[in-house]
Amino acid sequence: MADLKEMKGVSDRDRKMIADAETLLGPEPASMGALKNLFWGRLREELYFPYPDVARDRPEETAECDRLLAELDDYMRNEHPTIEVDQEQYLPEWVIQRLFQLGVFGLTIPKEYGGLGMGITSYNRVLETIGRYCGSTAVVVSAHQSIGCKAVMLFGNEQQKQWWLPKLAKEWLSAFCLSEPNVGCDAGGQETTIEKSPDGEHYIVNGEKKWATSAAIAGLFTVMGTQTMPDGKKRVTAVVCTPDMEGIDIFSKNRAKCGIRGTWQARVRFKDVRVPKSHLLHKEGKGLNVALSCLNFGRCTLSAGMLGGAVTSMDQAIKWSRTRYQFGRPLADFELVKLRIARMAALTYAMDAVLYMTTGMLDRHDEDIMLETATCKVFCSEMGWKVVNDAVQVMGGEAFMTENEIERIFRDSRINTVVEGANEVMQSFLFAYGGKQLAEKLLGLKEALEKKQFSGALVKASIPVVKEVYLGMRPRAPVIGKLHQSLIPHGRRVTALISELTYQFKKVSKQLDAAIIDRQAVQARFADAAMWIHAWVCTLSKLDGQLRAGRSGAEFDRDRAAAMHFFDMAELEIQSCFRGMYENADQSMLKAAEAAIAFSDTQPVGDFYIPEKSQTDARGKGRKADQTHIAQFPGTGLGVAGGTGREHMQETIAHSHERH
């Protein structure tokens, strides 16, 4: 197959970016997942239909989860100090202990290690419930179980699991140390180093980590860093550290922030930390596999927390619109308010459909799910933010009042479009990874034709492409064979758009050629079109499942109407993406951006905040942040953990080390 890096006109910078991305992502799975097939104009019906149903597939687990959810909902509604967590900026120790007692922190850890042994769908149901009440708590639970201890669960050997998982299920929080001052979405650009000691018995860790959720109160860290391999190349390796190791300095436990204020993101320095070789996770040089696999789970639980907050906001806003009168009428009587109510209902229904389709794929261990988890994160964070914003608008000034709680959900929600891969990065990723195999096939055909390497197979493969690119003939739309009778027209609508997606991908790729690698605005339109199509099929499948189950009543009437509205909304959005390929303001946008950047370059650096480790000569010359009136959480070490005071952690970690 042709290689995109070798395309004519690709700059050295872009060639390196593609090579780095290929290293980061690893080899293509043998079987393409649901989203990649959309770029080819295909629909893998068996991946979408029937809609995943954990109650059908694992009834005993569902019953156990239902019992937990009832107890958890009662606790979150009646005991959890949601406002205190937000206002005081910490999670009280008794709350952490209560969640351990409920089994929330060990929900997916296998039963033989002290956990509840539940699947990903059940886990996300729990996160959604927590997210309805407290975004901070949802993040702490997610950071512990989706990325913190998930690394041990997925990649730990049996001895490591026996060492750490029982503690992580019952006593310790865990932290995931990936981000750094100069490393955010570029997970492969680690500046922290992990090198073998001369005697080969330890790994020596040096560097600094940033944004490590719960690290200041955790008993275990998964740490990523670059290691020099035998061939001289540097690759990412993952090791497990505990906070009592000499050379670990938690020099900042938490920084005051806009939302999820009850979570603590620590800054950690590693100075010649000696980590036993038995603490290596997976294999040397395979740390990115560990990181990216964990992020697949984190992107779902982020979405679950966002869904919970969005549903709470919607329900509150609709009730407000029925009981708040203006001009002698309830707000819900006005069409522009109904517009927002309908949009909230449609988007929350689709978010639910996308989330639990994705968790179903994870539970059944689909081979190729990286695009699906990324799309779940982008869709739920973007649409959830729209829902919460609509709720604020419906409630008006009262939504800004602390006691009504919507303002807290508003603040907590905003971070979700940034973390676990900024949505702009995810858009380019969805385009590049989703269309890469198709693009390489098209490039191979082009190169063979240019070299006049004609063959029967080449001609056969080229004819459909020629028809589309040169004659404007759309490929035949796929068919959904098993769909409730009433939904067949909506199935035909979305499959026609799948046909249009692959047609537009081929046409625009030909027009822009190598330039498409730099055109992120174009890439984002393709990514968004694929995302909306995927969400449509997920929503269609969910509604199909409800119809087949004979659902009825006011709640189902709401769901069905919401789904129908979502189909219409999605079609308008997808058509807008396609139209934007040809009717856009990209050129004036680029000129306006360059002019704004040029003006910024004339402004004195000292007037502005500058990244602390900027790679420009502005480093260290920016405006100093005034923290005089910002709450601080000083101190370091396990015995002094700010407001939570996890006093006994030092003792429990020491006893754990005695065993191994």
Side-chain angles (χ1 to χ4, degrees):
M1 184 174 285
D3 191 333
L4 291 178
K5 298 190 296 298
E6 306 308 318
M7 283 181 69
K8 296 175 183 177
V10 176
S11 67
D12 290 340
R13 181 187 65 175
D14 288 337
R15 189 173 286 112
K16 182 180 184 302
M17 181 183 70
I18 295 171
D20 289 345
E22 289 174 345
T23 301
L24 182 72
L25 298 170
E28 296 278 1
S31 176
M32 286 193 295
L35 265 150
K36 285 183 189 173
N37 273 278
L38 298 181
F39 282 90
W40 288 74
R42 302 189 294 242
L43 179 72
R44 286 192 63 185
E45 185 175 350
E46 76 281 7
L47 297 182
Y48 288 106
F49 296 89
Y51 192 76
D53 184 353
V54 68
R56 175 194 62 216
D57 299 334
R58 295 186 299 281
E60 292 183 0
E61 177 184 318
T62 301
E64 185 179 358
C65 186
D66 287 345
R67 288 192 294 272
L68 172 60
L69 287 173
E71 187 175 359
L72 178 64
D73 187 79
D74 180 71
Y75 160 72
M76 295 297 298
R77 184 186 302 273
N78 298 311
E79 298 179 54
H80 189 75
T82 302
I83 295 175
E84 178 187 350
V85 167
D86 178 63
Q87 296 291 311
E88 301 300 326
Q89 303 183 61
Y90 78 103
L91 212 62
E93 174 65 15
W94 72 265
V95 170
I96 295 174
Q97 292 300 330
R98 183 63 182 275
L99 293 173
F100 269 119
Q101 291 165 8
L102 286 170
V104 168
F105 282 122
L107 195 136
T108 61
I109 293 175
K111 291 183 177 180
E112 58 264 35
Y113 303 110
L116 299 183
M118 293 190 187
I120 305 305
T121 297
S122 297
Y123 174 42
N124 278 268
R125 292 178 67 200
V126 168
L127 261 295
E128 181 188 346
T129 298
I130 296 174
R132 289 179 183 235
Y133 298 97
C134 184
S136 291
T137 305
V139 170
V140 171
V141 173
S142 175
H144 167 70
Q145 201 156 183
S146 299
I147 54 178
C149 67
K150 180 62 74 172
V152 178
M153 290 172 59
L154 291 176
F155 295 98
N157 57 41
E158 184 55 37
Q159 186 179 47
Q160 291 170 336
K161 291 177 181 179
Q162 290 178 4
W163 285 345
W164 297 316
L165 289 184
K167 288 292 184 183
L168 295 173
K170 301 289 188 182
E171 297 179 45
W172 294 356
L173 292 179
S174 57
F176 194 67
C177 297
L178 177 66
S179 297
E180 302 180 0
N182 277 330
V183 176
C185 295
D186 181 14
Q190 301 289 308
E191 295 179 353
T192 295
T193 60
I194 298 177
E195 301 290 0
K196 265 191 172 178
S197 61
D199 63 5
E201 294 301 311
H202 291 82
Y203 293 97
I204 310 299
V205 182
N206 282 285
E208 181 180 322
K209 294 295 181 178
K210 192 176 183 180
W211 311 122
T213 297
S214 300
I217 51 175
L220 180 146
F221 309 152
T222 301
V223 182
M224 308 292 165
T226 56
Q227 179 182 1
T228 305
M229 307 306 291
D231 61 4
K233 295 182 178 179
K234 293 185 180 295
R235 294 188 177 89
V236 177
T237 290
V239 296
V240 170
C241 297
T242 51
D244 61 324
M245 291 179 174
E246 187 175 350
I248 292 180
D249 177 22
I250 301 172
F251 68 97
S252 173
K253 292 184 174 184
N254 188 25
R255 292 164 65 195
K257 49 193 176 290
C258 169
I260 57 169
R261 288 160 60 85
T263 66
W264 282 14
Q265 284 74 38
R267 303 190 63 177
V268 188
R269 288 195 189 101
F270 298 85
K271 175 64 175 174
D272 296 328
V273 179
R274 294 172 63 83
V275 181
K277 66 178 183 180
S278 61
H279 285 218
L280 171 70
L281 270 184
H282 198 27
K283 300 176 182 177
E284 292 182 353
K286 296 293 184 180
L288 277 178
N289 298 63
V290 176
L292 295 174
S293 297
C294 291
L295 288 174
N296 283 334
F297 295 91
R299 287 170 181 149
C300 283
T301 48
L302 176 152
S303 301
M306 181 71 258
L307 174 60
V311 169
T312 293
S313 300
M314 175 186 68
D315 289 345
Q316 172 60 56
I318 295 174
K319 187 62 71 176
W320 188 274
S321 75
R322 293 291 293 153
T323 54
R324 168 73 162 132
Y325 275 60
Q326 288 285 271
F327 307 105
R329 302 161 60 187
L331 293 179
D333 273 10
F334 295 97
E335 188 168 289
L336 288 180
V337 174
K338 288 181 178 178
L339 183 153
R340 293 184 185 274
I341 291 172
R343 181 162 59 201
M344 288 189 290
L347 292 180
T348 52
Y349 184 86
M351 287 168 65
D352 186 286
V354 171
L355 170 62
Y356 291 109
M357 177 68 76
T358 310
T359 63
M361 291 174 172
L362 286 166
D363 273 332
R364 71 188 183 210
H365 307 293
D366 283 10
E367 182 182 8
D368 189 12
I369 44 79
M370 194 178 288
L371 281 186
E372 287 69 27
T373 59
T375 299
C376 180
K377 184 266 176 182
V378 175
F379 185 80
C380 289
S381 63
E382 291 285 349
M383 302 311 138
W385 172 248
K386 290 179 187 293
V387 170
V388 178
N389 190 61
D390 278 341
V392 169
Q393 195 67 20
V394 169
M395 289 184 65
E398 282 293 342
F400 250 49
M401 300 299 106
T402 300
E403 66 265 25
N404 292 326
E405 301 195 51
I406 296 300
E407 64 85 26
R408 186 189 69 250
I409 300 175
F410 183 80
R411 289 185 286 106
D412 289 347
S413 298
R414 186 59 185 86
I415 192 64
N416 290 329
T417 64
V418 176
V419 293
E420 304 284 9
N423 285 1
E424 290 79 7
V425 174
M426 291 293 98
Q427 284 174 313
S428 290
F429 167 62
L430 289 171
F431 167 80
Y433 200 49
K436 181 175 181 290
Q437 288 165 302
L438 176 56
E440 288 181 334
K441 178 186 176 182
L442 296 174
L443 178 61
L445 291 174
K446 176 185 174 185
E447 290 177 347
L449 290 171
E450 287 176 348
K451 296 176 182 178
K452 298 182 179 180
Q453 297 174 339
F454 300 114
S455 68
L458 175 65
V459 172
K460 184 177 180 181
S462 300
I463 288 175
V465 177
V466 170
K467 286 182 177 179
E468 291 178 55
V469 174
Y470 293 98
L471 302 179
M473 297 174 64
R474 273 65 170 174
R476 181 179 298 174
V479 175
I480 304 176
K482 299 176 181 178
L483 196 59
H484 190 276
Q485 186 70 26
S486 66
L487 298 180
I488 290 175
H490 305 289
R492 288 173 178 161
R493 290 168 66 191
V494 72
T495 55
L497 292 167
I498 294 171
S499 171
E500 188 69 16
L501 175 66
T502 192
Y503 167 76
Q504 293 293 346
F505 182 89
K506 294 164 189 171
K507 183 179 178 181
V508 174
S509 295
K510 176 186 178 298
Q511 289 178 346
L512 295 179
D513 202 35
I516 201 171
I517 293 172
D518 248 352
R519 295 295 307 280
Q520 289 189 326
V522 175
Q523 295 173 15
R525 292 182 187 109
F526 277 116
D528 287 349
M531 176 185 74
W532 282 100
I533 290 172
H534 174 71
W536 185 328
V537 181
C538 293
T539 303
L540 190 69
S541 179
K542 179 184 175 183
L543 184 58
D544 175 78
Q546 289 179 307
L547 286 166
R548 293 181 185 280
R551 297 286 179 86
S552 61
E555 184 177 5
F556 175 68
D557 290 343
R558 179 203 64 181
D559 288 351
R560 179 165 53 186
M564 295 301 170
H565 185 46
F566 179 75
F567 298 152
D568 289 345
M569 289 173 58
E571 185 159 26
L572 291 172
E573 292 287 347
I574 296 163
Q575 294 291 5
S576 176
C577 291
F578 294 150
R579 186 168 57 252
M581 303 293 178
Y582 311 99
E583 300 173 13
N584 56 64
D586 290 359
Q587 292 308 309
S588 61
M589 174 272 291
L590 292 170
K591 289 179 180 178
E594 291 299 332
I597 291 167
F599 175 74
S600 176
D601 288 344
T602 69
Q603 303 301 293
V605 170
D607 289 350
F608 302 92
Y609 300 110
I610 302 297
E612 62 184 293
K613 293 196 175 181
S614 171
Q615 295 172 319
T616 72
D617 60 6
R619 180 171 177 173
K621 301 176 183 177
R623 181 180 177 183
K624 304 303 180 188
D626 180 8
Q627 299 190 36
T628 305
H629 303 290
I630 296 176
Q632 303 294 316
F633 297 85
T636 188
L638 301 173
V640 185
T644 64
R646 294 174 68 76
E647 298 90 355
H648 303 297
M649 191 185 297
Q650 179 79 61
E651 181 181 347
T652 58
I653 291 176
H655 288 167
S656 175
H657 287 331
E658 290 173 4
R659 299 200 318 270
H660 63 276

